[in-house]
Amino acid sequence: MRTVAVLGGGIGGLAATYYLCKSPQVTKVIVLESSSRFGGWLWSTRRSDGAVFEHGPRGIRPAGAVGRNTLNMVDDLGLGGEILPVTYSHVASKNRYLYVNKQLHRMPSGISGLLQTVPPFTRPLLLSVAMEILVKKGKENDESIHSFVSRRLGKELADIAVDSLCRGVFAGDCRKLSIRSCFPLLYNAEQRRGSLMLGMLLGSGPSPVVPTGPLAQRSIKESWAQWSLSKGVESIPESITEYLQRSGRVQLHRDAAVKHITPSASGWKIHLEDGVISADHIISALPAKALSSALPSSCQPLIQQLQDISTVTVAVVNLEYEGSILPVTGFGHLLPSSEDRGVLGMVYDSVPFPQHNRPNGQTTRLTVMMGGAWFQEVFGDPEAVTEECLLARATEAVQCHLGVTTAPIWSRLALQRDCIPQYYQGHFQRVGVSVCLSRIHA
């Protein structure tokens, strides 16, 4: 029987521990979290008046193996009754916007949207899609997302839609990000079918088999596009933590930063500020650079590979306004880097999840995301930038993009330092080398 140490108590570390608890081969799991709270980037503020604000992820997609797996876990944790589903027919699913040339443009959707020329695009999107099937397969083993989409669907789509998408998903630069690592489905579709369209229609390879539990079945039947929870997504790590505490097999340690790890005759020794913990196995859910600083010097090649993985910092600004202030209704809008390098996009939180509004009196909740790959260029050193500067930039963006002239009645800034790893071109090779090196040192 084995003792496993899990480094990191964010959602990744907690989820790993949840599954380890179900294994008969594991006697004990020790979770080591450096901060004072578990949950990592899943972080919700619940105000006393009932309003809920998210400082990280806010909506979770139910699709695919990962989506089903998450719903199965949420069901097992007893959170099914707190689900707030957003269906594909909901206005937040149908209406998504781009802010280009100082105007909001609704993204084309449906057959009519694909057939027509819809600003900011200069030709029907269906034309790009139809021509894609004739494009030859790329010969490189990896490519930037911008290069891949330019080659297959045209430069305009890459410059506007995909540039904006990558800023919204990765807070990153599509001219550096890897198609193979960031969008493996698209890469595999071209490699195996010679076309994105054929890959989408015929499939582009096997996917993990995950059973469809009751909640996942409900998501399919009701056509969920995304979902949240009544008290915010931080309910997931909170519920996992409670589950682990009840299991009797898990030790949970907060404020327990890992200084370094060393191999021992029976496994590993984990050195903390105030002691040493022994374990047969280690699972790391730490950011790459944090793990690199904890590894023994004998792992220098692996340390270098981990240090080469970049991350970006995102300023997440939650704003609340009195009354209904949105000129359009939808999920939110994104900006291409050519429009504004500092502001990545806005989410109109009150539209997909009105249940998170305060119950008394109409208000509008928004989240402005800023920085990412452009943080240093626009705002300077994250350690030196002031809260006043970031709040002012966020409210100015709301005024310019949405025409809102009133001041917010409530605001909260969360500066999420190094929160999103950047899978740059060639990342798959770096991961492959890291796996080989970790096996050598195991």
Side-chain angles (χ1 to χ4, degrees), residues 1 60 73 75 92 106 111-112 119 126 129 133 170 183 190 209 261 278 329-330 351 357 371 383 430:
M1 305 298 274
I60 301 172
M73 180 176 67
D75 212 5
R106 182 174 174 266
I111 296 299
S112 61
L126 188 62
V129 172
I133 202 168
F170 305 105
F183 294 111
E190 183 188 53
V209 177
I261 59 177
S278 297
T329 306
V351 178
N357 287 355
E383 301 301 324
R430 189 175 296 114

Side-chain angles (χ1 to χ4, degrees), residues 137-144 147-148 151 177-184 186-188 190-191 424-430:
K137 183 170 73 172
K139 296 179 180 178
E140 301 297 325
N141 61 12
D142 199 3
E143 194 174 356
S144 76
S147 170
F148 180 90
R151 183 169 55 79
L177 293 170
S178 157
I179 187 69
R180 182 166 180 167
S181 297
C182 295
F183 294 111
L186 300 184
Y187 175 81
N188 290 333
E190 183 188 53
Q191 291 299 308
Y424 290 149
Q425 194 173 336
H427 180 76
F428 80 98
Q429 293 168 319
R430 189 175 296 114

Side-chain angles (χ1 to χ4, degrees), residues 14-86:
L14 291 177
T17 307
Y18 165 84
Y19 291 112
L20 285 169
C21 272
K22 296 180 177 293
S23 170
Q25 296 177 305
V26 177
T27 309
K28 182 168 71 173
V29 185
I30 304 168
V31 181
L32 302 170
E33 166 56 35
S34 63
S35 75
S36 60
R37 57 176 288 275
F38 293 110
W41 306 119
L42 299 191
W43 179 17
S44 311
T45 287
R46 299 150 183 157
R47 270 194 344 217
S48 58
D49 63 0
V52 177
F53 297 85
E54 302 286 8
H55 309 302
R58 62 212 57 240
I60 301 172
R61 297 179 66 83
V66 174
R68 292 193 298 276
N69 208 42
T70 304
L71 284 172
N72 291 346
M73 180 176 67
V74 164
D75 212 5
D76 186 45
L77 293 170
L79 291 172
E82 296 183 27
I83 290 274
L84 303 177
V86 179

